[in-house]
Amino acid sequence: MIPFNKPHLTGKEVHYIYEAVHSGKISGNGIFTKKCHDFFTSTYGFTKTLMTSSCTDALEMSSLLMDIQPGDEIILPTFTFVSTANAFVLRGAKLVFVDSLATEPNMNVELIEGLITSKTKAIVVVHYAGVACDMDVVMNIAKKYQLFVVEDAAQAISSYYKDKPLGGIGDFGAFSFHETKNIISGEGGLLAINNSDYCNRSEIIWEKGTNRSAFFRGETDKYGWVDVGSSFLPSEIISAFLYAQLENVAEIQAKRLEIWNTYYNTLSPLAEHKKLRLPYIPAYATNNAHMFYVICNSLEERTALIDYLKAHNILAVFHYLSLHKSPYFSDKHDGRSMDYADQYAETLVRLPLFYDLSTEDQEFICTKILSFYSEKI
Ligand SMILES: *Cc1c(COP(=O)(O)O)cnc(C)c1O
């Protein structure tokens, strides 16, 4: 079976874990955590970064930093992962969902302004497949109404909006290093704090509501409980693994892009004949090749394609179901329809894309997709 995803090791992961273990300190905020923080601030210019145990944790930290209270409203896409929503629901926020674009699964930012009320606190954007949302529009609305902007950049490492790195544009950016992402540490994440008013407090929330980080830097002579918080920092073992990946980020991205381009070029005749649709990348966005998807003409066609590929030992998978229709949320939704998101939920299918996907396997996948559509006629 050709899997949908396979974690790629660069070679130094276990070596760095060995180093971390033998340094005698394996809890969080040690040498490798600092190396990772330095990598992110120097490579992407983020003001401050904090490693977390997941992107979910990073989003929850942003929710605490913004002091989200029961009744506060959060505007976010419906076509996303549950963590984008849960982080704010946990603090009692009311979710106001936004539909996707006709051209691509990202949220339609033109709909945001009409949804703002006196209770709106933040706009949460998701850069689906690592492709940027139109951030100038989002940032202008946020400025006009004095709202926070959180970027769920879980899939968006090393991807850009114009010349700005994703995750570095809003007040906060949240990244994931789950094994299904481009750069991995098993489970893992990062919060980028771009609004410098929140740098100090982010460190306190990160360390269980204590000023431990400042204390160890010698900035305060007392170490105590000063605010709310939780244990968001990962162990050195996670950061050691991640650092080996970060050292190879350029190579990993280049290889993924090569695979992505092969899919795009090989399948483009199908798109020209309107058999299916291929990903659309707006001119303001770069492509970090997080994902390669195709969009079928109907749910029936997608099911048939997935089954056909499975019968040939290829695992292709669909993606999100619109959150406004989920069992948890459907009775809380305000009733607006989200037709494009529902359409992606029914027709989008993701193809295998991982560093170690061989040329032969990729050729085989493409051949099978082409033959599925030629047999169908
Ligand atoms: C993967 C993902 C997350 C969750 O990341 P974790 O690190 O598993 O918590 C959140 N949002 C989006 C858009 C994702 O793709």
Side-chain angles (χ1 to χ4, degrees):
M1 196 82 178
I2 300 174
F4 168 67
N5 178 59
K6 198 173 143 202
H8 167 66
L9 297 184
T10 67
K12 282 217 175 149
E13 286 84 354
V14 176
H15 176 74
Y16 286 159
I17 289 174
Y18 181 94
E19 252 184 51
V21 169
H22 285 270
S23 74
K25 184 187 189 300
I26 51 173
S27 60
N29 205 9
I31 293 162
F32 280 102
T33 301
K34 289 192 181 70
K35 278 178 186 279
C36 292
H37 289 169
D38 289 346
F39 174 88
F40 284 106
T41 49
S42 65
T43 308
Y44 304 112
F46 302 145
T47 308
K48 182 178 179 62
T49 56
L50 292 171
M51 286 283 297
T52 56
S53 299
S54 62
C55 177
T56 304
D57 269 3
L59 290 165
E60 284 179 25
M61 279 186 71
S62 78
S63 194
L64 288 169
L65 282 164
M66 297 187 296
D67 260 325
I68 298 302
Q69 303 292 321
D72 286 347
E73 294 180 10
I74 306 286
I75 296 174
L76 76 170
T78 186
F79 194 72
T80 184
F81 190 61
V82 287
S83 295
T84 321
N86 257 331
F88 308 99
V89 166
L90 277 171
R91 312 244 70 80
K94 180 183 165 202
L95 305 180
V96 179
F97 284 114
V98 180
D99 198 3
S100 298
L101 288 158
T103 44
E104 48 142 343
N106 267 332
M107 79 198 272
N108 183 350
V109 297
E110 301 298 338
L111 298 173
I112 294 173
E113 195 164 7
L115 299 170
I116 292 171
T117 73
S118 59
K119 297 219 167 125
T120 308
K121 207 65 189 281
I123 303 166
V124 181
V125 302
V126 177
H127 304 297
Y128 186 77
V131 176
C133 292
D134 196 343
M135 290 305 289
D136 282 349
V137 175
V138 175
M139 297 310 288
N140 283 335
I141 296 170
K143 199 166 162 201
K144 184 169 165 192
Y145 295 92
Q146 294 186 309
L147 305 175
F148 286 104
V149 173
V150 179
E151 297 176 77
D152 180 339
Q155 308 173 7
I157 190 169
S158 269
S159 203
Y160 292 78
Y161 173 76
K162 298 180 179 172
D163 55 350
K164 298 184 187 119
L166 300 186
I169 303 167
D171 298 278
F172 308 106
F175 292 87
S176 175
F177 311 119
H178 184 266
E179 76 169 24
T180 51
K181 305 300 200 276
N182 291 25
I183 299 295
I184 61 173
S185 58
E187 302 281 352
L190 182 90
L191 181 69
I193 301 101
N194 308 311
N195 181 335
S196 50
D197 293 349
Y198 294 87
C199 289
N200 288 341
R201 190 166 184 233
S202 66
E203 232 173 36
I204 290 165
I205 285 174
W206 189 58
E207 284 258 42
K208 301 118 187 151
T210 72
N211 56 354
R212 191 171 181 275
S213 298
F215 175 74
F216 279 108
R217 282 197 302 267
E219 292 166 12
T220 168
D221 54 4
K222 277 203 212 76
Y223 156 39
W225 184 19
V226 297
D227 202 338
V228 295
S230 190
S231 185
F232 288 115
L233 70 173
S235 90
E236 278 293 286
I237 294 171
I238 296 286
S239 295
F241 189 107
L242 186 74
Y243 192 64
Q245 296 261 318
L246 294 174
E247 285 184 322
N248 291 282
V249 63
E251 190 202 329
I252 291 170
Q253 303 295 73
K255 182 72 188 290
R256 294 184 71 102
L257 199 57
E258 191 186 313
I259 295 170
W260 197 98
N261 286 331
T262 300
Y263 273 135
Y264 193 89
N265 295 332
T266 316
L267 300 177
S268 58
L270 292 177
E272 280 155 26
H273 292 96
K274 306 251 183 290
K275 305 280 188 205
L276 48 66
R277 275 167 55 201
L278 296 179
Y280 169 71
I281 316 256
Y284 52 70
T286 61
N287 178 16
N288 74 344
H290 170 61
M291 183 194 302
F292 193 89
Y293 62 80
V294 302
I295 297 165
C296 300
N297 286 307
S298 67
L299 174 61
E300 294 70 32
E301 184 183 304
R302 183 183 72 176
T303 306
L305 176 61
I306 290 174
D307 290 349
Y308 180 88
L309 293 174
K310 198 174 272 169
H312 290 94
N313 293 319
I314 298 160
L315 194 61
V317 293
F318 57 85
H319 211 185
Y320 305 130
L321 304 172
S322 304
L323 291 182
H324 73 283
K325 284 192 165 173
S326 62
Y328 174 72
F329 201 80
S330 55
D331 61 351
K332 302 172 188 67
H333 181 59
D334 55 30
R336 284 170 301 122
S337 62
M338 312 252 154
D339 295 344
Y340 290 118
D342 292 346
Q343 193 182 313
Y344 294 119
E346 292 195 344
T347 58
L348 183 147
V349 53
R350 296 174 291 158
L351 305 181
L353 201 177
F354 48 89
Y355 187 95
D356 298 301
L357 181 64
S358 69
T359 311
E360 300 76 54
D361 280 354
Q362 196 185 9
E363 263 172 32
F364 180 70
I365 296 163
C366 291
T367 306
K368 287 300 153 197
I369 295 171
L370 292 167
S371 66
F372 171 81
Y373 280 101
S374 61
E375 282 168 26
K376 234 174 59 96
I377 305 154

